[in-house]
Amino acid sequence: MQSAIAGAVMPYAEADLLPLSGLQHLVFCERQCALIHLEQAWRENQLTAEGRVLHERADSGPTESRGDVRIGRGLHLQSRRLGLAGRADVVEFRRVGATENGVRLPGLENHWRPFPVEYKRGQSKQIDCDRVQLCAQALCLEEMLQVSIPVGALFYGQVRRREEVAFDENLRDSTERAARRFHDLMACGQTPIVYREPKCRRCSLFEVCLPPRKRARRSVGRYLEDAVTKAPG
């Protein structure tokens, strides 16, 4: 757990790190997040299966070199400050000038700036759930490599297109708030109540979260009332 000592915030312990991907669940729907990460409930549908396959293809390929870009896949990520850990589908390391902010890669000259790329099945969303997850990856890389990362990208499989995402102050603040909320949610141990929305129908946890409504059971008073009124004579 985080603790404050002399006004400073201490980093999370290794055992308290939460899955980075949970931020996407949390921003999309806090109840979905709790069902998955608190209650360990999971159901796969066609959409999640297609997304899983896309992730596996993205992060299981070999390291590549393409001109001024070096491509790493499935890289481990961690932020003790935010209390998150996970993996990046792809991190492109792009060559930058010696005076620009970058890192040195083993066996290579020059400086290289990380550019995280997260793969998603569908298409761009108005809600920031995917952008927050990507920003969290950038914050982890910044903490691990001591480098500034201004931008990354989301690749959407349905439209076969990248959406470039700038890690501005607003998105960084939203990501840090989501990380704190995720830890609070896990610490309280309570699943939020249901708020039914149109997006619920596309969720793989729909039947777990909102099972078919059963006919309400009669109260004892109603049962006795029916018995008396229907009794003969």
Side-chain angles (χ1 to χ4, degrees), residues 45-61:
N45 62 12
Q46 181 179 346
L47 301 182
T48 60
E50 290 174 356
R52 175 175 51 78
V53 170
L54 186 65
H55 280 291
E56 290 171 353
R57 289 175 179 171
D59 65 19
S60 62

Side-chain angles (χ1 to χ4, degrees), residues 1 26 33 46 60 64 82 94 111 115 120 131 140-142 158 168 177 182 185 189 199 208:
M1 298 289 290
L26 179 117
C33 180
Q46 181 179 346
S60 62
E64 298 180 56
L82 298 179
R94 300 180 169 187
H111 291 75
F115 182 94
K120 296 295 182 184
R131 299 178 193 95
C140 287
L141 287 166
E142 288 184 342
Q158 184 174 332
D168 58 23
R177 287 197 304 271
F182 191 14
L185 183 65
K199 66 184 178 183
V208 177

Side-chain angles (χ1 to χ4, degrees), residues 113-154:
R113 178 176 292 157
F115 182 94
V117 182
E118 173 69 10
Y119 282 64
K120 296 295 182 184
R121 175 210 162 271
Q123 55 187 319
S124 181
K125 307 174 182 64
Q126 288 188 339
I127 189 172
D128 273 340
C129 53
D130 295 343
R131 299 178 193 95
V132 162
Q133 181 181 357
L134 180 68
C135 186
Q137 294 180 8
L139 293 176
C140 287
L141 287 166
E142 288 184 342
E143 184 177 320
M144 295 167 65
L145 302 177
Q146 296 299 296
V147 63
S148 171
I149 303 175
V151 66
L154 294 161

